[in-house]
Structures are given as C-alpha cells and as structure tokens.
Amino acid sequence: MTRAAQFTAAEAAFVLREPVRVVKKALDSGPVRPVLLRRAGASVRAIGWQDLFYLFAIKELRDELTPKARMAFYEALRQAPLERGREVRFGRFRVAVGDLVEEVETRTASLAELAEKVEFRGDGEPVLRGTDVEVHRIAALVDGGLSADDVLVDYPSLSRENVQVATAYAQAHPKAGRPFPRTTAKRALRGAGLDELDEVLDGAAAE
C-alpha cells in the first residue's frame, strides 16, 4: 500500500491495533486532518499515510512527549517526507523514527495483502477470492463465538487461512447495513435438536 493511500477510521484502527472508537476520537480531537472520501456510495473520513504514522508514533511515544511537543512533532512530520533511519527534529527534541516507519509500512502492506485475497460479486458484496462465500458472513460467525474449526465444519471448502482473512478484512472494512447472522442455519437446527432435518440439508447440499 503506497504512501499516497487514504485510510478510513476502520483501516487506521487495523493498522494501529486500536478500537475504531479510539481512532475516531483522535480524528475529532486533532491535530490530524481527515478528508472526506466517497466509499460504497457514502462519505467517510480518511487520513493520509503521514497522519496515520503520527497516530502510531504518538501511541508509542505518548509518555515521552507533552501535548505541546506532540503538536510540534506533527508539524515537523508534515514539513518533510519520512524516510527509514531518519530523525524528526523539532525544538530541542530529536526522535529517531526509522523503526516506527518500518513497522507502519509492514502493517499497511498487510492491509493491502488482505485486499488481494478478496474479490467482489456483482452486487458489491466482498467474497473470499475463488469462492462465493461472503467475507462478512464468516466474520460474523467468528464474532458470534465460533472457532475456525467450528466454521470449517459448516464450510468444509474453506481453509483456516480463509477464516483468518475474512475476520481481518471485516475488521478493516466493517459491513454496512444489515449484518449477517452470528450462527449458521445448520448449527441452529442442531442446537434446536432438529438433527434429522440437518441430515436432509446435508443430503440436499451434496446433490
């Protein structure tokens, strides 16, 4: 993912390993400067790579910089491109940022790799590449408490990596609109003691 990319609050939260609400609060309080983007027909706030790096760096350096120093750090970041191994200088401070730059680059690359493992159906729904299984359907099952092994029982064509991709992608790209069920129909039938009907469904799926 290039440094020209823009990151939504959910994508930034994925990179920062923070809850989305924490990132949204940071966008509200500044000094980062979000812009409005059109995504899936809706306007969403997004930040550039430089602002994303600032949020990551402040998370790592929060105990070392005063609020005033953080503002000066932010302005210094905006004045020159970030490079691995360089220092950011502001006032009496010098902050080595090489390892921080490398970590953000690694995490944004992981975000880009997720996108390559997903494709979109004609209705715009993201599915796991090479399948017709909706990403957010699998993520909802995991969110509902199912383990990867549980999911694979009802989706034997998938792999453990597919499940991991689905949950990670859904974290970075939350589903808009009505959510998918947090259990499968077959599992709900088994839970209700309707094992015979479950067997009929299995037989129909195999035909």
Side-chain angles (χ1 to χ4, degrees):
M1 186 167 284
T2 70
R3 294 193 183 184
Q6 299 284 341
F7 302 86
T8 65
E11 290 169 335
F14 177 89
V15 172
L16 298 173
R17 311 290 195 263
E18 291 279 10
V20 176
R21 59 179 174 75
V22 172
V23 175
K24 288 182 176 179
K25 183 177 179 180
L27 300 191
D28 291 336
S29 59
V32 295
R33 303 170 188 178
V35 298
L36 285 179
L37 295 181
R38 294 291 294 181
R39 293 273 183 96
S43 294
V44 295
R45 289 188 300 173
I47 56 174
W49 197 95
Q50 207 88 346
D51 280 358
L52 178 65
F53 175 80
Y54 168 79
L55 293 177
F56 178 79
I58 289 303
K59 177 184 174 183
E60 298 297 312
L61 303 171
R62 65 181 53 171
D63 295 332
E64 301 176 36
L65 299 177
T66 65
K68 183 177 180 180
R70 293 175 191 174
M71 288 293 295
F73 179 52
Y74 179 76
E75 293 303 326
L77 287 175
R78 292 183 63 86
Q79 290 175 12
L82 280 169
E83 301 294 342
R84 294 186 181 186
R86 64 160 288 206
E87 289 184 332
V88 176
R89 300 182 182 186
F90 54 99
R92 296 181 290 106
F93 293 93
R94 293 185 178 184
V95 180
V97 296
D99 58 331
L100 303 181
V101 170
E102 185 173 352
E103 181 62 23
V104 175
E105 287 180 339
T106 298
R107 294 189 185 188
T108 53
S110 296
L111 184 62
E113 289 170 6
L114 279 177
E116 295 175 357
K117 297 176 181 178
V118 170
E119 55 191 2
F120 291 85
R121 290 193 315 218
D123 62 0
E125 187 70 38
V127 297
L128 291 161
R129 185 170 292 279
T131 78
D132 194 40
V133 180
E134 298 93 340
V135 167
H136 292 101
R137 183 181 299 279
I138 299 303
L141 297 178
V142 175
D143 191 48
L146 297 189
S147 68
D149 289 337
D150 292 333
V151 173
L152 296 179
V153 169
D154 287 345
Y155 290 89
S157 64
L158 300 183
S159 66
R160 185 176 293 274
E161 181 187 2
N162 287 146
V163 177
Q164 293 171 343
V165 168
T167 54
Y169 185 90
Q171 178 187 349
H173 306 277
K175 178 175 172 56
R178 186 176 180 179
F180 281 108
R182 289 156 59 95
T183 190
T184 65
K186 289 167 62 176
R187 189 168 293 273
L189 290 172
R190 289 197 294 271
L194 302 177
D195 296 328
E196 291 183 3
L197 182 55
D198 186 24
E199 291 175 5
V200 171
L201 289 176
D202 280 334
E207 293 177 356

